[in-house]
Amino acid sequence: MGMTFQLAEKMLAATIKQAQSEYKRPVSVAVVDAYGLLVAFARMDGARLRTVEIAQGKAYSATRMLSNTDAFLERLRREDVPASYFCDPKLTALPGGTIVKDAAGQVLGGIGISGLAPHEDQALGNAAAELAL
């Protein structure tokens, strides 16, 4: 069925709640479909403007590479290649992008978080992706 707006909203709300309660800092959150196209987006009050594009880039990259962006970064380091080798200028390997799959392993889309430390962004994305299972 793919990424629904209802699931995207649920993931946005859960991520914002967790960012407020655990990190007490604002984030931007982007949810994309299996093609990397934006389904839903939220920028918390006080989140820096640059987090808008970064969150969307992380969600897009996770979906297009079928990999969380922290794993994509590790791949680039391991293989000693830049992201530009993939001929897609929208790709980013900044941690914080998570592939979203359903319980059967079907790719629904991705979620990208920006505004915290990279490992914190990734943790938020990973937690939100669990909502699809």
Side-chain angles (χ1 to χ4, degrees):
M1 176 154 108
M3 179 63 66
T4 63
F5 183 68
Q6 181 180 10
L7 175 57
E9 280 188 310
K10 183 178 175 182
M11 291 181 1
L12 286 177
T15 301
I16 289 168
K17 183 177 179 181
Q18 188 176 1
Q20 290 171 325
S21 65
E22 289 185 30
Y23 301 103
K24 300 189 183 0
R25 291 193 318 268
V27 296
S28 286
V29 185
V31 179
V32 299
D33 65 14
Y35 299 103
L37 300 174
L38 191 63
V39 173
F41 177 83
R43 179 177 157 250
M44 293 173 64
D45 292 342
R48 294 180 181 232
L49 290 178
R50 70 175 176 252
T51 65
V52 172
E53 291 297 324
I54 294 171
Q56 291 179 43
K58 290 176 179 184
Y60 172 86
S61 298
T63 303
R64 300 299 285 187
M65 296 307 296
L66 298 175
S67 170
N68 292 354
T69 54
D70 61 344
F72 182 43
L73 177 61
E74 288 303 314
R75 177 182 176 189
L76 295 177
R77 288 177 174 162
R78 183 178 62 251
E79 296 177 11
D80 193 28
V81 297
S84 63
Y85 276 27
F86 294 92
C87 299
D88 187 339
K90 291 170 56 176
L91 291 178
T92 182
L94 290 172
T98 304
I99 193 78
V100 178
K101 297 179 182 181
D102 64 16
Q106 169 116 11
V107 174
L108 302 177
I111 184 167
I113 318 297
S114 182
L116 306 175
H119 70 280
E120 294 168 334
D121 287 343
Q122 192 67 57
L124 281 176
N126 293 350
E130 294 290 320
L131 296 171
L133 300 176

